[in-house]
Amino acid sequence: MIGRGALRNPYIFKAIKSYTQTQNEGQTPSYNEIKILIPHFFAASSQYMSAPFAVARTKGWLKQLAFTAPEFNELFERLKTITKPAEFQERLNTDLN
């Protein structure tokens, strides 16, 4: 189940490493810390597979992130019906800035 944990907290492996070294639980990353990763995730997914794949994967990640912060759920709700990659990317960038 670490996979879903990593989707909901992209810094989970850093937190695990820190915990094993210090025995202190770290802070959960904030919305602002995670949101800067989303456009990079979309771009990497587009380059790795395809733009339509990136749209689907980014929506999937946003849905998982929605469990961690209401802002991600709001973003997901605004983007979930967009299927055209260029439109999705433009709206994503606009909504995150």
Side-chain angles (χ1 to χ4, degrees), residues 29-97:
S30 70
Y31 168 77
N32 288 327
E33 290 173 311
I34 297 174
K35 81 174 191 174
I36 62 172
L37 301 175
I38 298 171
H40 299 290
F41 178 81
F42 179 83
S45 297
S46 292
Q47 186 176 11
Y48 175 70
M49 289 294 288
S50 67
F53 174 83
V55 170
R57 294 300 293 172
T58 305
K59 287 180 187 179
W61 188 30
L62 288 172
K63 190 62 177 167
Q64 288 297 313
L65 289 172
F67 290 102
T68 66
E71 297 93 342
F72 289 120
N73 189 53
E74 293 166 10
L75 180 60
F76 173 76
E77 290 296 325
R78 289 192 301 269
L79 297 173
K80 71 180 181 182
T81 60
I82 300 173
T83 58
K84 296 178 181 174
E87 182 183 352
F88 182 87
Q89 185 175 23
E90 181 181 332
R91 182 69 185 268
L92 179 67
N93 291 333
T94 300
D95 285 2
L96 290 174
N97 291 324

Side-chain angles (χ1 to χ4, degrees), residues 7-40:
L7 286 173
R8 293 179 184 173
N9 178 356
Y11 297 103
I12 194 167
F13 298 107
K14 183 178 179 180
I16 291 169
K17 181 180 179 184
S18 175
Y19 180 78
T20 59
Q21 293 172 347
T22 66
Q23 301 301 307
N24 292 326
E25 291 187 31
Q27 296 280 73
T28 302
S30 70
Y31 168 77
N32 288 327
E33 290 173 311
I34 297 174
K35 81 174 191 174
I36 62 172
L37 301 175
I38 298 171
H40 299 290

